[in-house]
Amino acid sequence: VQLVESGGGLVQAGGSLRLSCVITGRTFNSFSIGWLRRAPGKEREFVAAVSWISGTTYYADSVRGRFTISRDTDKNTMYLQMNSLKPEDTAVYYCAAPHTGWNYSAVEEWDYWGQGTQVTVSS
């Protein structure tokens, strides 16, 4: 299984970025896939998840209303549209799949990870 992120970069506060994650090697029909991030000096934290089959979405309170997670099952690709970005969104963003537990914030409940893509929001 391989997860490859792209789309990170440098953006001013209030701007937008769209991250992509291409998944190869298997599909995760019965599970959720998602995005987590690690800000400098902080623990990795949950951002958003989406059910591969139903498309039901889940968000951390800190990004709800600003970020939108989606997936394209034909392309085996997941996206994270990030709008109204804030300096505190600066982090390395990781895609992860599948989620196999009960707590999206528990990093040990995500089986596979991408290499991460850097998002930097300037003030």
Side-chain angles (χ1 to χ4, degrees), residues 102-120:
W102 299 98
N103 180 4
Y104 286 125
S105 297
V107 294
E108 67 272 16
E109 293 184 3
W110 295 90
D111 284 1
Y112 298 101
W113 296 78
Q115 81 286 353
T117 185
Q118 176 70 47
V119 171
T120 303

Side-chain angles (χ1 to χ4, degrees), residues 26-121:
R26 61 170 285 190
T27 57
F28 302 105
N29 290 334
S30 300
F31 299 99
S32 292
I33 57 176
W35 294 92
L36 296 90
R37 68 186 180 186
R38 174 177 281 165
K42 295 188 177 181
E43 297 292 319
R44 199 170 298 194
E45 66 173 358
F46 170 71
V47 175
V50 60
S51 168
W52 188 256
I53 283 291
S54 70
T56 303
T57 56
Y58 312 85
Y59 295 97
D61 289 342
S62 58
V63 306
R64 187 176 291 111
R66 299 187 298 122
F67 291 11
T68 302
I69 188 172
S70 62
R71 86 278 184 260
D72 185 327
T73 55
D74 290 336
K75 295 181 179 180
N76 247 31
T77 301
M78 175 175 62
Y79 304 98
L80 186 67
Q81 177 67 42
M82 306 186 292
N83 298 329
S84 302
L85 282 161
K86 305 175 181 180
E88 51 264 44
D89 294 317
T90 295
V92 177
Y93 284 71
Y94 300 89
C95 64
H99 182 253
T100 55
W102 299 98
N103 180 4
Y104 286 125
S105 297
V107 294
E108 67 272 16
E109 293 184 3
W110 295 90
D111 284 1
Y112 298 101
W113 296 78
Q115 81 286 353
T117 185
Q118 176 70 47
V119 171
T120 303
V121 184

